[in-house]
Amino acid sequence: MSDKPQEINLSVNGTAIIAKPGMTVFQAAQTAGIFIPHYCYHPDLSIAGVCRMCMCEIEKNPRLQISCNTMATEGMVVRTDTDKVKDIVQSVLELHLINHPLDCPICDKAGECKLQDYYQEYGLYKSRIEYETKNHKPKAVDIGTIILDDERCILCTRCVRFTAEVTKTHELGIFNRGDRSILRTYDEKPLRNDYTGNLADICPVGALTAKEFRFKQRVWFLERNDSVCTQCARGCNVTVSVNPDTTKLYRVEPRRNPDVNQSWMCDTGRWNTHYVSDANRLTSPQKQVEGKIIEETWETFFKVMASNIQSAPKKVLVGLSTYLTTEEMADCLEGFSGLGVTHFTWIVDERTVEDRKAYDGILKHHDQTPNAAGFLQLMETTKTSWLKHEEVIKKLQAKEFDHFLLLGLEGVTMPGAAELLIKTPKETSITIHATTRVALFEKATWLIPNASSFEKSGTMVNALGLMQKLVASMPWQFTSRDSHAVVFGIKEGNDRAVSPTGRFQTVFKRLSDEAIFPGARMDWKKMPASGVNIGVVGRAEGIKYAKG
Amino acid sequence: MPIDSDSISSSVILPDEKKIFFKHIRKENLHTLSGYESVGGYSSLKKAFAMPPDQIIDEVKKSALRGRGGAGFPTGSKWGFVPFDSGKPIYLLCNADESEPGTFKDRVILEKNPHSLIEGIIVSSFAVRCHKSYIYIRGEYVHAGKIVEKAIAEAYAKGYLGKNILGSGHDLEVVLHRGAGAYICGEETGLISSLEGKKGYPKLKPPFPAISGFLGCPTVVNNVETLCAVPWIIENGAEAYTQYGKGQSKGTKLFSISGWVKTPGTYEVEMGISLKAFIDECAGGMKNGAKLKAVIPGGSSTPPLTASEVDVACLDYESMLKFGTFLGSGGVIVVSEHQCLLKLLEHLAEFYWDESCGQCTPCREGTGWLYKMIKKIGRGEATSADLESLKKTAKSMMGTTICALSDAAAMPVLGFINKFPEEFQAHLDQKGCPMKQCGGSAH
């Protein structure tokens, strides 16, 4: 093996490229920014070689080759811009379209359809097709979370390969042959994996659309923001789409990061977002007295809570949810410590954090919160003492606390919160900072609205030890506030302070400058979208995640 | 239905005693083990087992034997690509999925002389270090399948198959596998997919089957006729084999001739003989004294020859190339003046449209389009622009797919248009079929 070359020199369209051994012509061209049109190729799936769009001309080879299955070799001269290639690409595109419906205005994929895109780029021919002789196939077939339109399907088999190679559930197959081929689930049963949303993402045309999104919004109305998913410790990289006019969240899609989630995310992370705008969302601070809910202002809350804490800070327990950004946690630690608070804990299901290797074999970690690693890192590097739940419960039962603040709860599951709340004696007054009201919160004295992960920015440290950027896609909804604002208000004892948007940047800079995150030392803007490995304390070792 | 023995005529050109495949084909019980042994069957094994396997491969290389399935790839070279030290089992697959329209030569071997195939498999497997071989037989060959199955059982019972064959130390299992009626499963890698229990989709190359084929192991796929030639070559030597034929086309070959001839059937002839003589002498010439219009020389995917080309063409690889066509699988289809070529082309187009596996876009969509366009011309609804469109589409289907089915569908279309433009023009001019044979529905 030692005589294998370390690099391969080739040229594509006259551009000299240095490729790694094992790279295909397609990949080599991609590294040089040369785009080759394709439908069936996907970087995280096996090569099918069936769409025949990625044709290229290779010197000394009379036959055109598909670039996705042709290995780059030393001295290779490749062209994708010759008339011969252009003619074939146009012909193949025309063949893709001959039996395809021409009703883009009513297709939900319009605006992000590769048939549309490529027709503009490589097609623009005069149609030779007589529409009355087109093949017709079943439309709007319900296969579970996804609606399938066989007539729009170009049989690229990306979806078939996804269920075979990524989820290994093998629900999809191509049935019949020739131009009668249709995509179907076996036995006509619905899809049965937790990654079905990816099928709609990887479908290059309008054949597979997600029930959660189809016909809800035209894609050109959406504003896209790169962020991370906060529904488990994996921290899948995502793109969040919001209509800026209505500030309504419409879609969360995976963003490729080979080190974290490849091109995928689970359905839970993708679709478990209704809490952001549903009826149970907390819209203002509320005081609960003997089962009655009294609407309050932030001003009152801050005043009351400031005095509560100042009177006996040692009898206050602050629980930091691992949904909080690292900056929020640091801000809370600093703020409450400054007020004399000495008891801290985390709000997380500790059983799921004991073994952070635990995941479903694809992406989903058992720890359903995004930043337990950030919490541990922060506690370790700032040498803050904190309590595990066993001790917390002992102290709660011993009635050592007058006040128990749970900060930064999000969504409806809130792992770890239930047991603590149940074990809290009635002598301890509970304050819950959460996005959503759930039955469990009846015991609380105060409910204050939390800004969701889509409404704040900061960093999350995933179970792999990568520090990644969470980026706000919309402003704080209703009167909700993030934990920066909550700790700031309590410190000041009033609501006069302006909402500290952007405070996370100050804290981020401090954490970075003080080397609380070893190896971080960077400014927010320059932090790469793929995250930074900060060699987290106690990070899960040897976590293996889905690889192609 | 079994083939009527009388239809298997001896070639007037090649006397029986000089034949390789059909020397004893008329023998009543040739398909049984005793019948086969009585004419010297399995005699090549002793000699083969005494040779180092590489020497067998060399001998086959020297014989210039070319694959008889249609592509004509040198068999010895194919065997030479197999890595014998990969640590994986090596498979020898016999392609008996004979489904190219116009081709029925392997059927005769399977039904009349199955032991010659088994002998061929034993010798070839020894050469390529294979211990498990499959005969993938066309699903429609029910009768042939039964005969081959019986022959395999007889060979096991007599020790020609199984462990330590004839004390040679060579082990070989042979399994008969029936296809389910798909043309594409006769394509080398489609056959492998099908045998693996998958849909008969041809596989992307590279990797080539010799490196990673059946179950990811090194695999050789050979046609029935090819394998049957091997024992003769080993027994008589490569030099004797190259005495037959000429140029790059050595040996004898089976041709199945059908269409407008007096005695259609399968004939063994020496490569390189005149096509005209073959039609006249073997197949008895044209039926009812009709005039010959065209000949499809090598199965339905090969472009046709015109009557004047038939007069000078020879049955060898090189001669066919000169006329822009191929020897293919040796399925000669003779067309007379009473047949409309467009109707014939419509049948072929329908066949390829029906049989396209649907993996690659150009073939999946193109075959359907060709079929629709040809029907449109047949109905007299087409313009010269449609004819150009047909040509353009056919051209874009050439060399742009995983396997050759797309080329196979496009080649006859382009061939017929190039060689018989007047037939197409007549349909356009007369707004219909001059012979009143065409006219399918629009769908």
Side-chain angles (χ1 to χ4, degrees), chain B residues 82-91 129 211-218:
Chain B
V82 177
F84 296 120
D85 53 357
S86 70
K88 293 178 183 170
I90 294 160
Y91 291 99
R129 288 80 153 166
I211 311 296
S212 174
F214 181 57
L215 304 176
C217 299

Side-chain angles (χ1 to χ4, degrees), chain B residues 22-66:
Chain B
F22 283 0
K23 193 170 176 184
H24 307 287
I25 203 75
R26 289 173 185 285
K27 188 174 161 54
E28 198 62 42
N29 62 345
L30 184 66
H31 64 284
T32 64
L33 182 60
S34 57
Y36 186 61
E37 282 178 328
S38 74
V39 296
Y42 289 110
S43 56
S44 73
L45 296 186
K46 213 177 150 196
K47 186 173 176 190
F49 288 147
M51 290 163 77
D54 283 343
Q55 202 186 324
I56 300 180
I57 297 177
D58 281 345
E59 203 64 22
V60 172
K61 276 183 187 165
K62 271 187 233 154
S63 76
L65 173 64
R66 292 169 67 166

Side-chain angles (χ1 to χ4, degrees), chain B residues 95-159:
Chain B
N95 188 344
D97 192 61
E98 182 174 56
S99 14
E100 176 86 356
T103 313
F104 42 90
K105 60 181 182 74
D106 293 340
R107 179 181 173 186
V108 181
I109 294 176
L110 295 164
E111 291 185 4
K112 297 286 172 190
N113 200 1
H115 284 284
S116 72
L117 173 61
I118 295 170
E119 185 176 353
I121 290 173
I122 297 168
V123 175
S124 305
S125 72
F126 182 68
V128 300
R129 288 80 153 166
C130 153
H131 304 290
K132 181 137 189 185
S133 176
Y134 291 85
I135 301 172
Y136 188 102
I137 193 168
R138 180 179 180 185
E140 292 88 335
Y141 280 5
V142 177
H143 182 68
K146 285 179 187 160
I147 291 171
V148 174
E149 209 158 38
K150 217 173 192 172
I152 291 173
E154 284 179 313
Y156 267 111
K158 193 71 192 283

Side-chain angles (χ1 to χ4, degrees), chain B residues 270-283:
Chain B
E270 190 176 347
M271 294 274 259
I273 63 156
S274 147
L275 172 58
K276 184 86 173 66
F278 175 67
I279 295 168
D280 289 343
E281 294 176 41
C282 289

